[in-house]
Amino acid sequence: MTAKLIDGKAIAAAKRQNMKAKVALLSRKGLVPGLTVVLVGENPASRSYVRGKIRDCKEVGINSQLIHLPETVSEEALLEQIDRLNADENVHGILVQLPLPEQISEQKVIDAIRPDKDVDGFHPVNIGRMMTGQDGFIPCTPAGIIEMLKTEQIDIAGKHAVIVGRSHIVGKPAAQLLLNHNATVTICHSKTRSLADYTRQADILVVAVGRAGLIGADAIKPGAVVIDVGMNRNSEGKLVGDVDFAGASQVAGLITPVPGGVGPMTRVMLLENTLKAAENALKRANHAAG
Ligand code: GUN
């Protein structure tokens, strides 16, 4: 059997195309959606991610601004910068690229972002809203995963979803979102014993660990939907996921490639969240004006 490919790159491109019209409409109403990305230091991966985000914004007509601070910036100075962005009405979304240097508490920084500008969906208020099924911002990678499943018309309700990885950015929110869509959810992590015993039971398998080759063909249920969030460089310097793609695609029903699967979806969901933040700001302004 050969699995069908879930083409995240194509799904994301179609969504960006769709979004252009919405951004143009909003802009005609006098409101150009604005995203500010804060980058601290020179981490090459972070620099590359941030460049991609800025490029995406340009493509759909979202105003973007990059604030690049030195590696040595103090926590206080960064928090002051966030306060200024919180107060700036042209800034609808704020994203502080993680990781941050060790003199800065990531949690303090996340907590300082206004929840209605938290397009990463990392603020405790947004996490709480997601957990209680209320409207808010959903972290981009899990949101992108759900979007891919919807595009492929995969029924989530009643399915057994197994998540490998429990990070705040991917694993935990992905588990919660799948639960919100009525999946039966199992979360596995580095202390899980006999990992394959769990993954082999997954109708929907989400792998977000960061270890190439972690999941082989023998760890996958025939016909399963396999979502590979991993981004690793193999010994030849090639970008690969956490799943052995060649083996897994002989067993799975559907599978995301790396690259071209989850990555482009994460990026497009950031644009969606920024558009939503701008639309919400316009609604608040109209409401205040009566
Ligand atoms: N670093 C790696 N992934 C992310 C992300 O989704 N958001 C932010 N802010 N930083 C990241």
Side-chain angles (χ1 to χ4, degrees), residues 49 53 95-99 120 122 169:
Y49 290 145
K53 287 166 186 174
L95 182 145
V96 180
Q97 186 68 27
L98 304 178
D120 256 328
F122 293 167
I169 294 184

Side-chain angles (χ1 to χ4, degrees), residues 34-40 45-54 56-57 62-69 78 81-82 85-86 91-100 106 109-110 112-123 137-141 169 266-274 277:
L35 172 70
T36 295
V37 178
V38 180
L39 171 66
V40 180
S46 291
R47 285 180 62 151
S48 150
Y49 290 145
V50 162
R51 270 200 302 271
K53 287 166 186 174
I54 301 281
D56 289 346
C57 283
I62 290 176
N63 242 342
S64 64
Q65 175 193 15
L66 171 63
I67 297 179
H68 193 170
L69 301 172
L78 177 55
Q81 180 62 254
I82 290 171
L85 297 172
N86 280 340
V91 174
H92 304 108
I94 302 169
L95 182 145
V96 180
Q97 186 68 27
L98 304 178
L100 291 170
E106 287 187 354
V109 169
I110 290 167
I113 297 170
R114 258 174 61 169
D116 57 354
K117 296 192 177 192
D118 168 39
V119 286
D120 256 328
F122 293 167
H123 192 284
F137 291 109
I138 289 171
C140 299
T141 299
I169 294 184
T266 296
R267 281 166 61 172
V268 81
M269 295 319 286
L270 174 65
L271 303 179
E272 291 272 10
N273 278 350
T274 303

Side-chain angles (χ1 to χ4, degrees), residues 19-199:
M19 221 180 303
K20 272 186 200 170
K22 288 190 191 163
V23 172
L25 185 71
L26 212 54
S27 301
R28 279 200 295 278
K29 289 184 189 167
L31 189 139
V32 182
L35 172 70
T36 295
V37 178
V38 180
L39 171 66
V40 180
E42 308 296 333
N43 180 319
S46 291
R47 285 180 62 151
S48 150
Y49 290 145
V50 162
R51 270 200 302 271
K53 287 166 186 174
I54 301 281
R55 203 177 329 119
D56 289 346
C57 283
K58 280 215 176 74
E59 186 187 331
V60 300
I62 290 176
N63 242 342
S64 64
Q65 175 193 15
L66 171 63
I67 297 179
H68 193 170
L69 301 172
E71 183 82 28
T72 52
V73 73
S74 68
E75 183 179 274
E76 193 188 2
L78 177 55
L79 291 173
E80 281 168 9
Q81 180 62 254
I82 290 171
D83 274 344
R84 282 194 289 276
L85 297 172
N86 280 340
D88 185 340
E89 63 176 28
N90 293 316
V91 174
H92 304 108
I94 302 169
L95 182 145
V96 180
Q97 186 68 27
L98 304 178
L100 291 170
E102 60 183 18
Q103 76 273 18
I104 300 172
S105 154
E106 287 187 354
Q107 195 58 55
K108 266 196 201 162
V109 169
I110 290 167
D111 290 352
I113 297 170
R114 258 174 61 169
D116 57 354
K117 296 192 177 192
D118 168 39
V119 286
D120 256 328
F122 293 167
H123 192 284
V125 163
N126 283 315
I127 295 170
R129 284 184 181 149
M130 180 177 62
M131 289 206 79
T132 52
Q134 299 177 71
D135 189 34
F137 291 109
I138 289 171
C140 299
T141 299
I145 292 171
I146 297 292
E147 203 58 32
M148 280 197 286
L149 296 177
K150 283 189 179 161
T151 305
E152 295 295 334
Q153 299 183 313
I154 292 154
D155 221 352
I156 301 172
K159 297 280 170 61
H160 185 194
V162 176
I163 323 295
V164 189
R166 55 173 158 179
S167 70
H168 291 172
I169 294 184
V170 184
K172 277 191 203 173
Q176 183 62 51
L177 275 185
L178 287 159
L179 176 63
N180 290 0
H181 285 81
N182 298 314
T184 301
V185 177
T186 300
I187 305 175
C188 300
H189 46 79
S190 54
K191 301 281 192 291
T192 298
R193 294 179 190 157
S194 311
L195 177 64
D197 287 350
Y198 295 93
T199 60

